[in-house]
């Protein structure tokens, strides 16, 4: 908890004295003052301004020196809320991009709620003032909600101030109600309570600007530590003694052999993904033709195995141990890796490497094959792994057939599991935590994937011999990253915490996965959990096809105050906010400031291009803007103008989300190659050359007006 300085205490005393003189002792009962006030604190977080450190306790295991302590609901009735609350109570503070709620005793004029009448102040440091956005007023509940206008700093204290510039429906200034202390005029409460929280509130109010309107309600809250645990895990990975990669994972005619293949000698390849526990398998052809996007660019492909420290348990959860500590390693687990080697003479130091991360529902035997050729044409090797919960079951294999007719079987286990016990292993099964930990979603699967990629980078640094001649074939000092969609999310996290990576290009990544999915094509991913909650939070009848529907009634950025009421929407919005809060440690938004603005100690600012597509219906623009704003990355955005591309050729896919890898559609191929070559040029230069992807053509722009990302921008 940040210590209060003598200067702040003196300032608080001075402000209290000034207010006691300038304001009526009754604190808001003047002629122009309303009887409507902010509801005074109770033990119910829904009936008082929230977030608030009133709902925390001291805990020295955490960097904030505190821990969330929300009261539990009736766990026999509100089962899911109880489970969520138990998990939230392991955190050391509140969301870094919170949805703030303020309940009132009566009706207000929502048009008077602006950043001039309600605002946040950073307590300590520069005392930065932060406005509000995405404002909603639910009249029946008399509840005001809004988001902070900017990403807040982690493990930092903030003051929420509600002023009398908010008016009631008769135009009168908001009253102080039970908030105003008669002696000082400060909104700390009438009761003679001398608790620590009240003292903290009084001291923080000393920072309120004198010309900012009279404070009539306030809350002090501390943001959680979102990135420290992954940074600590990165340190643990760096401290390990590493070996190379084992490529003896294939068999031919019953004999073990090296799983490395010359592309010119491969006739076909089949991925046998385990999709059931019986076992059952689903076959798909490897995309050998894609390796000829730039003819002759890829010399060979190899498959290997290495072990990685696993911090995650069987519940897809990294057990909370306190943010001041490094989570313990649970086990060492094998991870399968796939590597494409460029053609031509190997550079003296070995081939530079790009770690390429695949998207949600994909796997390493799909996405990476669509970009490896272009990267190889820039002299870059490509390495990829499965994300936790992807790639099918552990009995997967590759069947590689050479031009001579020889069949080689390669062990190719996936990282999926039959999590729900139905005998099937879905494409993403095992990538999210089950009940009672469901509120954390994919948070720890993403953190574990980042750990596995850091361990892989360490293996390259230690030396990797793919051809078996006893010499390292790769330049471990020139390892970079690129990844698409989900790969753009965990890739942003990876780039923030791995100081040895040279540069990175996340493609169509986003911030909050809750925001991305609720607004776009993955909306059913939000519907099913709402229906499964006990009790269910679904508030709309099913669609004609039986699909679950819901209405959360939340506005986008920079829209007018939302005043529409929808039954059940407040409960959905609260559940979404809880999930987003619980998942902050696995959300790219929280890591964005570490890229350039505030790198971790010992890290240099990371050269980066953030490739985005206008009107993306999967990783929606309002989700991506959270990363762009949070990391001040607007000048590093490569902006694919999908609206222009579609207008020029209607054969372009209506959803631009997959444009980077959409090499099968002739209408999109040129755009895919342009974006891929932009990545290759940038990473081959060590992050120094940021080209316009299509030069004089209008379909790509470097830099973006960040306000343009606030809208969905979907095609009509």
């Amino acid at each position: 908890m940040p210590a209060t300085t003598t200067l702040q205490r003196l300032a608080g005393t001075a402000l209290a004295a000034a207010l006691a003189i300038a304001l009526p002792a009754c604190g808001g009962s003047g002629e122009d003052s309303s009887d409507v006030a902010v509801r005074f604190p109770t033990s119910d977080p829904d009936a008082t301004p929230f977030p608030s450190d009133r709902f925390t306790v001291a805990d020295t295991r955490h960097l904030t020196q505190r821990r969330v302590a929300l009261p539990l609901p009736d766990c026999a009735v509100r089962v899911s809320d109880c489970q969520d609350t138990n998990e939230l109570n392991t955190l050391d503070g509140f969301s870094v991009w919170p949805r703030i709620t303020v309940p009132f005793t009566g009706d207000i004029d929502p048009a008077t709620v602006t950043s001039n009448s309600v605002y946040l102040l950073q307590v300590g440091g520069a005392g930065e003032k932060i406005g509000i956005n995405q404002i909603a007023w639910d009249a029946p509940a008399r509840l005001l909600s809004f988001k902070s206008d900017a990403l807040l700093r982690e493990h930092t204290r903030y003051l929420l101030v509600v002023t009398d510039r908010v008016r009631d429906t008769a135009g009168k200034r908001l009253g102080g109600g039970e908030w105003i202390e008669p002696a000082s005029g400060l909104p700390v409460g009438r009761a003679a309570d001398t608790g620590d929280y009240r003292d903290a509130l009084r001291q923080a109010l000393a920072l309120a600007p004198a010309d900012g309107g009279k404070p009539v309600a306030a809350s002090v809250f501390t943001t959680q530590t979102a990135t420290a645990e992954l940074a600590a895990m990165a340190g643990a990975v760096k401290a390990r003694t590493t070996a190379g990669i084992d490529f003896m994972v294939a068999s031919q005619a019953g004999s073990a052999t090296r799983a490395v293949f010359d592309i010119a000698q491969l006739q076909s390849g089949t991925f046998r993904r385990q999709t059931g526990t019986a076992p059952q398998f689903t076959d798909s052809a490897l995309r050998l033709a894609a390796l000829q996007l730039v003819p002759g660019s890829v010399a060979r492909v190899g498959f290997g195995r290495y072990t990685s420290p696993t911090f995650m348990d069987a519940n897809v959860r990294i057990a909370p141990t306190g943010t001041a500590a490094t989570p313990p390693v649970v086990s060492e687990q094998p991870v399968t890796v796939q590597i494409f080697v460029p053609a031509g003479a190997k550079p003296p130091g070995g081939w530079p490497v790009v770690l390429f991360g695949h998207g949600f529902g994909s796997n390493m035997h799909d996405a990476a094959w669509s970009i490896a050729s272009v990267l190889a044409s820039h002299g870059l090797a490509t390495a990829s792994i499965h994300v936790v919960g992807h790639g099918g079951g552990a009995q997967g294999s590759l069947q590689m057939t050479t031009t001579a007719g020889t069949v080689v079987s390669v062990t190719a286990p996936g990282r999926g599991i039959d999590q729900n016990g139905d005998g099937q292993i879905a494409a993403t099964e095992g990538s999210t935590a089950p009940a009672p930990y469901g509120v954390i979603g994919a948070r720890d699967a993403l953190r574990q994937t980042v750990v596995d990629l850091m361990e892989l980078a360490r293996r390259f640094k230690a030396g990797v011999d793919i051809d078996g001649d006893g010499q390292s074939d790769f330049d471990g000092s020139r390892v970079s990253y690129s990844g698409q969609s989900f790969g753009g999310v965990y890739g942003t996290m990876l780039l923030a915490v791995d100081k040895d990576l040279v540069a990175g290009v996340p493609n169509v990544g986003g911030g909050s996965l809750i925001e991305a999915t609720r607004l776009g094509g993955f909306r059913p991913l939000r519907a099913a959990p709402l229906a499964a909650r006990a009790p269910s939070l679904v508030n709309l009848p099913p669609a004609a096809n039986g699909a679950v529907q819901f209405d959360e009634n939340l506005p986008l950025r920079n829209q007018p105050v939302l005043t529409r009421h929808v039954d059940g929407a407040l409960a959905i919005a609260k559940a979404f906010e809880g999930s987003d809060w619980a998942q902050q440690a696995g959300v790219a938004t929280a890591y964005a400031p570490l890229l350039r603005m505030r790198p971790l100690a010992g890290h240099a600012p990371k050269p980066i291009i953030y490739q985005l597509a206008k009107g993306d219906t999967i990783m929606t623009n309002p989700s991506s803007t959270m990363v762009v704003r949070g990391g001040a990355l607007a000048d590093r955005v490569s902006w694919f103008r999908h609206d222009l591309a579609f207008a020029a050729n209607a054969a372009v896919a209506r959803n631009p989300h997959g444009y980077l890898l959409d090499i099968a559609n002739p209408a999109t191929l040129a755009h895919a190659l342009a974006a891929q070559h932009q990545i290759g040029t940038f990473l081959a230069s060590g992050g120094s050359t940021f080209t316009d992807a299509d030069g004089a053509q209008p379909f790509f722009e470097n830099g973006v007006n960040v306000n343009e990302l606030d809208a969905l921008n979907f095609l009509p």
Side-chain angles (χ1 to χ4, degrees), residues 62 101 193 542 596:
H62 290 294
T101 53
D193 174 12
R596 296 199 305 168

Side-chain angles (χ1 to χ4, degrees), residues 10-38:
L10 291 174
T13 302
L15 178 61
L19 287 173
I21 295 172
L23 300 173
C26 55
S29 61
E31 186 175 332
D32 192 38
S33 183
S34 172
D35 291 333
V36 177
V38 174

Side-chain angles (χ1 to χ4, degrees), residues 513-541:
L513 295 179
I514 301 297
E515 287 296 286
T517 52
R518 77 175 183 87
L519 292 170
F522 276 164
R523 190 169 172 84
L525 292 179
R526 298 274 67 83
L530 290 176
R533 291 180 72 91
S536 169
L537 294 185
V538 173
N539 62 343
L540 292 180

Side-chain angles (χ1 to χ4, degrees), residues 360-624:
F360 186 75
S362 183
N363 60 75
M364 72 178 185
H365 300 307
D366 182 15
W369 290 72
S370 297
I371 194 172
S373 176
V374 169
L375 295 182
S377 75
H378 290 270
L380 300 167
T382 302
S384 56
I385 65 173
H386 294 305
V387 177
V388 169
H390 288 67
Q395 298 181 56
S397 66
L398 300 172
Q399 303 300 313
M400 311 297 285
T401 303
T402 69
T403 53
T406 302
V407 177
V408 180
S409 180
V410 179
T411 302
R415 307 183 74 178
I417 58 174
D418 177 17
Q419 195 172 44
N420 62 6
D422 67 353
Q424 301 299 306
I425 304 173
T428 62
E429 196 168 359
S431 64
T432 58
Y437 310 113
V439 70
I440 70 174
R443 181 192 72 189
D444 293 344
L446 294 180
R447 291 200 289 178
Q448 182 60 50
T449 299
V450 169
V451 166
D452 299 333
L453 287 166
M454 287 191 288
E455 177 65 26
L456 178 57
R458 288 285 290 168
R459 299 287 171 138
F460 281 113
K461 190 170 184 177
V464 172
D465 173 17
I466 194 171
D467 56 17
D469 66 356
Q471 303 294 319
S472 177
D473 295 302
F474 305 97
D475 187 346
S477 68
R478 297 182 62 194
V479 180
S480 299
Y481 179 86
S482 184
Q484 190 260 354
S485 188
F486 216 35
V489 174
Y490 60 80
T492 300
M493 298 162 58
L494 171 68
L495 289 163
V497 299
D498 191 332
K499 68 178 180 180
D500 293 330
L501 293 183
V502 175
V505 187
N507 173 268
V508 293
S512 164
L513 295 179
I514 301 297
E515 287 296 286
T517 52
R518 77 175 183 87
L519 292 170
F522 276 164
R523 190 169 172 84
L525 292 179
R526 298 274 67 83
L530 290 176
R533 291 180 72 91
S536 169
L537 294 185
V538 173
N539 62 343
L540 292 180
N545 63 359
V548 175
Q549 298 188 107
F550 63 92
D551 187 343
E552 67 274 46
N553 199 37
L554 291 172
L556 297 175
R557 281 183 61 88
N558 297 328
Q559 291 186 335
V561 178
L562 179 66
T563 57
R564 184 176 68 120
H565 170 77
V566 176
D567 288 341
L570 289 177
I572 296 175
K574 181 181 178 181
F576 284 169
E577 175 63 18
S579 295
D580 198 48
W581 173 17
Q583 294 171 26
Q584 290 292 298
V587 171
T589 306
Y591 294 83
L594 306 184
L595 295 171
R596 296 199 305 168
M597 297 168 61
R598 297 188 294 275
L600 294 170
H603 290 228
K606 196 79 70 180
I608 189 170
I609 297 175
Y610 200 59
Q611 292 182 330
L612 297 176
K614 185 173 183 178
D616 191 331
T617 68
I618 299 297
M619 196 63 74
T620 55
N621 292 166
S623 175
S624 297

Side-chain angles (χ1 to χ4, degrees), residues 71-96:
L72 290 176
D74 184 342
C75 293
V77 177
R78 295 169 56 190
V79 177
S80 298
D81 288 345
C82 189
Q83 292 173 347
D84 291 358
T85 302
N86 277 324
E87 198 63 27
L88 292 170
N89 282 347
T90 68
L91 303 177
D92 74 343
F94 300 94
S95 173
V96 293

